[in-house]
Amino acid sequence: MSEFASKLYTAEQVRCLDACAINEHGIPGYELMKRAGRAVFDAAESRFPAAVNWAVVCGAGNNAGDGYVIARLALDAGKSVCLYTLGPPEELKGDARTAAQDFLKGNSVVHRWPPVSDHEAPELVIDALLGTGLDRPVKGEYRKAIDWMNIQRCPGFAVDIPSGLNADTGQVMGIAFRSDFTISFIGIKQGLITCDGPDYTGELVFDSLDIPCTVYESISDSGFIIRENLLTQIAKHRKRNSHKGQYGHVLVAGGNAGMAGAVRLAGEAALRCGSGLVTIATHPVHSAVLNLARPELMVNGVSETGDMTALLKKATVVAVGPGLGLNDWSRELFLNCLGSERPLLVDADGLNLLAEKPCSREKWILTPHPAEAGRLLGISTEEIQANRVDSARKLAAKYGGIVVLKGCGTVLAEPNGGFAICPLGNPGMATAGSGDVLTGIIASLLGQCDDPWNAAQAGVVAHAAAGDHAAAILGERGMLAGDIIESLPQVLR
């Protein structure tokens, strides 16, 4: 896989790459457009060779040019093509106009929107309606066109990005095309794999259009996709001559009265992820019974500051927050952990306590869900979700360390602006305790590799891959956080 298939860009960055290929390397824009059209046609033809009736829906911008190229190639291959346009071809500009003129040279027909009833039902829909520049809600005839594409009972292909999806944020701009397959050109747009993006993108494929590798050197601040093969680099083969003290001692602090399950899940996840030792510091009310079903966990009831001192000294890494609560006991336990020099992971109510008295730290990992992230930044959950990448970056800049913004397309960010997105995971993981499992996994890997950025990446991808493994066996609906733990050994092999 090309390294450029793992990089992520904003729409503006891709426009800069495109301009660099044209202006600095002398590749004509129309040549790039023809390559894009060929990539879509070849992909559609190889996946659905029996589809004869194609509907190609074009707008009034460059994406329309790709659509005209695709339609011409389909006609040349003997397909029956209905090309619908929401903008007259003679009003197109630049390369898109050239593509329309080439299509019309063969006496091909352009159908003005909307479709008429005597047209055969399409067996394949090609979305070349709106491109990556969309920054406002879709309205009018464009909205009707997307709605029409969505109700067709056939596969759909999106050219570069599903129409109606924001390329930078992954938000649906009022309405978006639900594609079965999307080919992203030159650079993968970050909105395709976070927020609403995965629900509309379908299978995602990247095509560089054969632009030179040196073009990518013009953009230095792109993010990247975390791939599952990262686990082979972090979860390395262990020597036979080793012992538990070499694999980290995780201290999980939390579990207020009545909330023992959260720390139990985090602790067990840390063990399953390879920690040599796991200690739980929890409320005395349930410390005697918390590990009855998992005797490998060491459990200590904590009632005052002195109880934490010895535990913190023995730990390699501290994870605070699961089931912590927000009372006086919670605050004292949190402050004890915050005062430790050990590498720290903060989750759940630990984040809510941090939002009350914000501070910055270099070597820690914060793992908020969108609501917790909103409290940390003093904004709404909706504002966090409106631009997940930007939100994660702001959190990292304010609080230091590594931020893991959980959700569909989990975003990781570091203070220098670097970011990564995990494309794995599934809706079955939206269940109680799933975040506590992630806490245990990341803390375990942090204790084993002592690198917060690598531990966060590997932890997120291990958690997501385990969730996908569990869903493949059990299905998504009704999956439990414990099922993710049970699948961890499989993905960590």
Side-chain angles (χ1 to χ4, degrees), residues 64-95:
D66 296 335
Y68 280 99
V69 173
I70 296 163
R72 177 172 55 79
L73 293 171
L75 285 173
D76 291 345
K79 305 293 183 182
S80 175
V81 178
C82 278
L83 188 149
Y84 300 108
T85 178
L86 277 74
E90 62 272 13
E91 293 183 6
L92 292 171
K93 298 179 181 179
D95 297 322

Side-chain angles (χ1 to χ4, degrees), residues 97-254:
R97 185 185 181 98
T98 303
Q101 290 171 340
D102 281 354
F103 175 78
L104 292 168
K105 283 178 182 177
N107 296 319
S108 303
V109 178
V110 172
H111 301 276
R112 293 300 305 273
W113 177 265
V116 295
S117 58
D118 60 348
H119 288 175
E120 290 190 63
E123 297 169 305
L124 188 70
V125 170
I126 305 293
D127 167 27
L129 188 62
L130 296 168
T132 59
L134 183 67
D135 59 0
R136 62 181 65 87
V138 181
K139 297 180 180 179
E141 293 302 308
Y142 280 85
R143 185 181 183 95
K144 293 178 182 177
I146 293 174
D147 186 54
W148 179 85
M149 290 192 290
N150 280 338
I151 65 174
Q152 300 310 301
R153 297 181 178 180
C154 64
F157 274 59
V159 178
D160 204 23
I161 189 169
S163 290
L165 190 70
N166 187 294
D168 294 346
T169 69
Q171 277 202 313
V172 171
M173 307 302 284
I175 189 172
F177 177 51
R178 289 189 179 273
S179 181
D180 297 289
F181 189 96
T182 299
I183 303 184
S184 187
F185 303 124
I186 299 182
I188 296 178
K189 291 74 188 170
Q190 61 195 41
L192 291 171
I193 62 169
T194 192
C195 200
D196 297 316
D199 282 321
Y200 291 82
T201 299
E203 181 184 349
L204 175 61
V205 171
F206 169 69
D207 196 307
S208 70
L209 304 184
D210 293 327
I211 65 173
C213 295
T214 51
V215 170
Y216 293 95
E217 296 174 0
S218 64
I219 302 292
S220 60
D221 60 345
S222 58
F224 63 91
I225 300 172
I226 310 172
R227 301 293 185 185
E228 192 170 353
N229 59 13
L230 175 69
L231 294 176
T232 62
Q233 303 170 33
I234 302 298
K236 296 179 179 178
H237 179 73
R238 293 183 170 187
K239 294 180 180 179
R240 292 175 65 85
N241 184 22
S242 63
H243 57 83
K244 63 188 177 184
Q246 295 175 311
Y247 301 118
H249 184 170
V250 174
L251 173 63
V252 181

Side-chain angles (χ1 to χ4, degrees), residues 324-359:
L324 184 62
L326 297 172
N327 60 12
D328 291 341
W329 178 88
S330 313
R331 288 177 170 81
E332 185 173 356
L333 188 66
F334 177 69
L335 290 175
N336 286 334
C337 293
L338 201 61
S340 169
E341 295 181 356
R342 296 288 187 261
L344 186 63
L345 186 150
V346 183
D347 184 38
D349 279 329
L351 296 168
N352 293 326
L353 290 173
L354 178 61
E356 292 179 0
K357 293 184 178 180
C359 65

Side-chain angles (χ1 to χ4, degrees), residues 25-40:
H25 293 268
I27 305 174
Y30 188 38
E31 172 61 26
L32 292 176
M33 186 171 285
K34 288 190 291 185
R35 292 178 189 179
R38 170 61 68 176
V40 174

